[in-house]
Amino acid sequence: IVMERPAGDQPWVQVSPVQTAANQEKVNEIVQEIQYARGRNFIDSPESLADYGLDPASARVTVVDSVGGNPQTFLFGNTGMVGEDGGVYVQRVGETGVFMIDGHILTLLPKSTNALRERRLMTQAAKDITRLEYSGLGHTYTLVKDEKGTWKMIDPPLDDTDDQYVSNYISALKMLEAARFFPGTPAENGL
């Protein structure tokens, strides 16, 4: 799974295996966990990487910085205990040593190719929505929010709009999530 962010202030995008929106919270949580992980219990010359679950590794994560484009790759192995410290064994690619970090990272790493995809139907903040348009089943409706935050139906024009109903509708949209992703083009899926 490959995630990219065109610039530091732009959202993450999944570019492989499918190009799609990424779940910002999940990706940022992984990035922060890797960025702030502290190595401990260093083993400078391990006899066998297999003893630590690193030959082969159970996961491989590569991060690339935005400044120089320098990649850094980490291999994740077995969980283990050293004294009273538990964690997961890690090795930086290109180095011989092995060390431990907190095992929480393993709960964050994706278990499927869809794990980091954005599942929410609507991702923007509900308070930022100023226009709703619906077209379907032979009807078209347009609502706009005025500068006071009051919703008005402008197409067809209607003087009495139920603000609470519109707010509840937007809240319902915010809660909708995809249950599953289908392969193929939108046209192949009836869209």
Side-chain angles (χ1 to χ4, degrees):
I1 300 171
V2 178
M3 299 288 165
E4 288 182 356
R5 187 165 53 178
D9 60 345
Q10 293 184 343
W12 289 98
V13 177
Q14 181 174 310
V15 295
S16 178
V18 174
Q19 187 157 0
T20 187
N23 182 305
Q24 303 305 301
E25 292 84 11
K26 286 183 178 181
V27 176
N28 282 329
E29 194 173 1
I30 293 169
V31 169
Q32 286 181 347
E33 189 73 19
I34 291 171
Q35 181 178 5
Y36 296 111
R38 292 235 186 250
R40 62 182 191 279
N41 303 325
F42 290 87
I43 301 126
D44 293 326
S45 300
E47 288 182 28
S48 169
L49 291 176
D51 293 343
Y52 304 96
L54 293 164
D55 187 21
S58 60
R60 176 186 191 99
V61 175
T62 300
V63 294
V64 181
D65 68 47
S66 60
V67 177
N70 300 318
Q72 195 171 29
T73 301
F74 305 94
L75 302 177
F76 292 86
N78 295 337
T79 56
M81 294 291 291
V82 176
E84 294 188 22
D85 291 336
V88 60
Y89 290 106
V90 178
Q91 182 184 42
R92 284 187 191 102
V93 170
E95 295 182 10
T96 57
V98 171
F99 56 94
M100 282 187 130
I101 63 169
D102 183 42
H104 177 65
I105 185 71
L106 297 178
T107 66
L108 303 176
L109 295 177
K111 309 292 187 272
S112 73
T113 57
N114 290 324
L116 298 177
R117 287 180 77 164
E118 180 58 74
R119 292 185 171 278
R120 294 173 296 178
L121 176 66
M122 188 173 74
T123 59
Q124 68 238 64
K127 67 179 180 54
D128 295 339
I129 296 171
T130 59
R131 185 178 182 94
L132 290 171
E133 295 180 11
Y134 169 81
S135 180
L137 303 174
H139 301 284
T140 300
Y141 302 101
T142 304
L143 293 109
V144 294
K145 188 176 2 176
D146 65 20
E147 61 280 345
K148 296 177 193 172
T150 304
W151 287 99
K152 296 281 184 197
M153 185 170 305
I154 61 169
D155 184 24
L158 183 65
D159 291 333
D160 188 22
T161 304
D162 185 341
D163 276 344
Q164 188 60 48
Y165 185 85
V166 175
S167 293
N168 290 346
Y169 179 75
I170 292 171
S171 293
L173 287 177
K174 284 288 293 175
M175 293 173 55
L176 288 176
E177 289 189 2
R180 151 172 200 216
F181 295 100
F182 295 93
T185 66
E188 292 171 335
N189 288 296
L191 300 171

